[in-house]
Amino acid sequence: SIGTGALAEVLLELGRSVSSWADRLLVVNGHGGNVDALRRAVPRLRSEGRDAAWLSCRTAEDARDTHAGHAETSLILHLHPDLVRVDLAARGCVRPLPQILPAMRDGGVAAVSPSGVLGDPTTATAADGERLWGSLVADARARLDGWRPGDDGMLR
C-alpha cells in the first residue's frame, strides 16, 4: 500500500501523461480502498480540462460480501478457475461493511478478518461468476456509452 495521498498523486501524473496522447482516460477500479484517491485525482484532471473518469467494478451484491467472498471467488472461478484453491476456502467476516468500516479504517482488513476474507467463498460457483461477469460488463458498457462523470469523476 502506498497510501491515499501518494496514489492520488500517481493517478494525477499518469492522467496528465496519458492526456498528451489520448483524448479520454478511464480508470477502472476494483478496490474500495482506492476510492478516496480517485475522488481526489480525477476531478482535478477534469478541472485541468482533461476528459477523465473512473469506473467502479461493483461485484458485491451484498454488504457482507466485499473481499474474497462469494462474489469475487465466483468471478475468478469463472475467469481463471485454475487460480482458485476451493479446498482452502473458508468463511470470513460476514458483518455488513458499514458495521466494520470504522475498525478497518483504523486497523485494515486484519482488524475484522485475520484471513482477509469479507464474505463466504465456500458458496462460490463458476455459474455465479459468469452471471456476475455479464452484469459487470453490461453495467460498464452502459456507463461508458453514456459517459457522464459525476462531480467526483465517477461514471454514472
Side-chain angles (χ1 to χ4, degrees):
S1 176
I2 64 171
T4 299
L7 179 58
E9 288 299 317
V10 168
L11 290 167
L12 186 59
E13 292 305 320
L14 285 171
R16 288 172 175 159
S17 177
V18 166
S19 69
S20 70
W21 56 268
D23 295 332
R24 180 175 276 175
L25 167 68
L26 176 67
V27 179
V28 179
N29 179 49
H31 179 58
N34 296 337
V35 172
D36 287 342
L38 287 160
R39 286 181 175 157
R40 286 185 199 179
V42 175
R44 181 140 177 218
L45 289 167
R46 295 187 61 73
S47 75
E48 293 174 356
R50 294 166 172 87
D51 194 7
W54 63 278
L55 175 71
S56 178
C57 294
R58 302 173 188 167
T59 57
E61 298 173 328
D62 182 336
R64 297 167 297 174
D65 180 51
T66 58
H67 187 259
H70 176 86
E72 289 182 352
T73 304
S74 292
L75 278 168
I76 300 302
L77 281 169
H78 169 61
L79 297 170
H80 297 286
D82 54 305
L83 298 179
V84 182
R85 293 281 312 271
V86 203
D87 56 312
L88 298 177
R91 187 174 191 238
C93 177
V94 292
R95 295 193 328 258
L97 186 60
Q99 288 179 11
I100 61 175
L101 206 48
M104 286 177 47
R105 284 197 174 115
D106 289 339
V109 174
V112 296
S113 174
S115 69
V117 175
L118 303 177
D120 188 356
T122 66
T123 61
T125 66
D128 276 350
E130 183 176 16
R131 179 184 56 78
L132 286 166
W133 182 249
S135 176
L136 282 170
V137 170
D139 177 64
R141 183 172 290 133
R143 290 193 279 159
L144 280 167
D145 288 346
W147 194 262
R148 290 181 310 275
D151 291 340
D152 64 355
M154 184 173 134
L155 283 184
R156 306 288 183 223

